[in-house]
Amino acid sequence: MRVLITGAGGRIGQMLIEPLRAAGHTLILTDLHPDESLGIDALDVTNAAATVAACAGASAIVHLGGIPSEAPFADINAVNVVGTYNVLAAAVETGIDRVVLASSNHAVGFYRRSDATRSFDGRLELADPAAPRPDTFYGWSKAAMESLGSLYHDRYGMDVIALRIGTCFTTPPDARALTTWLSPGDVGRVVHACLTAPKPGFRAIFAISDNTRRWWSIDGATALGFVSEDDAEEFAPELIARDGEPDRSDPTHDRVGGTFCFAPLGETMSPAVRRDRGLPDPTA
Ligand SMILES: NC(=O)c1ccc[n+]([C@@H]2O[C@H](COP(=O)([O-])OP(=O)(O)OC[C@H]3O[C@@H](n4cnc5c(N)ncnc54)[C@H](O)[C@@H]3O)[C@@H](O)[C@H]2O)c1
């Protein structure tokens, strides 16, 4: 499959390049910041005409480009919501019928452990919740992304899978990620499953590894053919020695969105985004 990736220069984009190529896909790599050494061309998804042009010859899109954490409403709306609209509209215009959207657990961040009612394998799991409960403007933009995907499926018959990604880092960065980690290998496997599952229609599903401590269901991803090969538990001794055993009644561990549920609304969190927007480094 010939796949356009937006935001390909970012953390997840770079994790996907090798596994998707190894799975036989031909990639068109784009990002706001081009990178000649990685073969990444310039594409700002807020530019509708450029987004249409970038779709030439593609048969699917993996849309990662955007602001990856909390920021002022106007920025979030312009990049994450209008950018997603531009991607979906460009897909229609160029005949692309499958789009994978990088949504987030923060679209449903206010759900808590007590909302997990599905009993599976001796534990309670939170099934993929249909109704969003965003925890930030960022999470709201992911909920908006998902509902745009649903609209484009119903209107145009497009297959759209919104992945509610957990914590996709090379290794789990903290004790919360013992439940929420999506490993670099598993992000390749879940995106490949989204690209190749027969007629998935519209879905909004959690994307995490099969972590021993997870409490979000991975049934939605499994139904598409995803088989996780990783588990954050191997990092538990080191993270617990550093952060302590997670207290499940602490909101950080009780809510899907963790600390995002309590971060100041509209305050830019990501250092890379602060740099992009010329904002001072709060830690400096
Ligand atoms: N990594 C995670 O744990 C995680 C969790 C949930 C959701 N997500 C989502 O997955 C996607 C990728 O996340 P990431 O961790 O790789 O973030 P990242 O910040 O490393 O990568 C995002 C990329 O998008 C690019 N970008 C920003 N504005 C753009 C624009 N206007 N047009 C095109 N590209 C633009 C950036 O240059 C960057 O390379 C994001 O949409 C993020 O919200 C990530």
Side-chain angles (χ1 to χ4, degrees):
M1 191 172 262
R2 205 171 154 81
V3 184
L4 168 68
I5 304 187
T6 70
R11 180 181 288 129
I12 294 182
Q14 294 202 37
M15 287 176 188
L16 287 177
I17 295 174
E18 240 185 72
L20 291 185
R21 282 195 178 132
H25 302 290
T26 302
L27 305 181
I28 305 167
L29 303 175
T30 65
D31 196 284
L32 182 64
H33 302 297
D35 184 331
E36 215 175 304
S37 67
L38 293 172
I40 299 175
D41 294 329
L43 173 63
D44 179 348
V45 294
T46 66
N47 181 331
T51 306
V52 171
C55 288
S59 44
I61 302 175
V62 176
H63 176 43
L64 307 172
I67 297 177
S69 58
E70 186 60 336
F73 183 85
D75 291 346
I76 286 279
N77 193 46
V79 178
N80 289 8
V81 181
V82 178
T84 299
Y85 160 72
N86 287 340
V87 165
L88 291 167
V92 171
E93 197 169 328
T94 57
I96 293 173
D97 60 5
R98 187 167 302 215
V99 178
V100 181
L101 298 173
S103 181
S104 168
N105 66 91
H106 298 292
V108 290
F110 262 99
Y111 285 94
R112 63 197 315 172
R113 282 179 186 267
S114 54
D115 295 311
T117 51
R118 182 182 179 287
S119 175
F120 176 76
D121 221 8
R123 67 175 157 207
L124 280 179
E125 282 189 349
L126 182 65
D128 295 301
R133 287 189 70 186
D135 54 30
T136 40
F137 293 143
Y138 168 70
W140 166 82
S141 76
K142 297 300 185 179
M145 162 188 265
E146 293 178 356
S147 65
L148 277 172
S150 169
L151 174 66
Y152 274 71
H153 167 68
D154 284 331
R155 284 284 180 148
Y156 299 104
M158 193 185 283
D159 290 312
V160 182
I161 299 131
L163 292 175
R164 290 170 171 167
I165 298 166
T167 307
C168 190
F169 283 53
T170 312
T171 59
D174 52 27
R176 172 178 177 264
L178 293 173
T179 67
T180 63
W181 190 47
L182 176 64
S183 73
D186 279 348
V187 75
R189 285 181 270 277
V190 75
V191 169
H192 174 65
C194 292
L195 290 170
T196 51
K199 297 199 179 307
F202 170 76
R203 304 188 189 204
I205 57 176
F206 284 123
I208 54 173
S209 291
D210 193 4
N211 303 315
T212 300
R213 300 180 190 224
R214 72 177 169 80
W215 57 282
W216 312 342
S217 172
I218 55 171
D219 281 4
T222 305
L224 296 179
F226 168 60
V227 180
S228 168
E229 293 184 15
D230 292 312
D231 182 343
E233 201 58 18
E234 63 174 295
F235 301 94
E238 166 196 335
L239 288 170
I240 287 168
R242 193 193 70 189
D243 300 346
E245 183 66 46
D247 170 3
R248 291 181 176 201
S249 64
D250 179 325
T252 302
H253 301 290
D254 183 44
R255 300 277 186 181
V256 168
T259 53
F260 273 48
C261 295
F262 311 99
L265 262 189
E267 218 166 84
T268 301
M269 288 162 73
S270 151
V273 172
R274 293 187 76 86
R275 265 198 313 278
D276 272 1
R277 291 179 156 50
L279 297 170
D281 177 356
T283 60

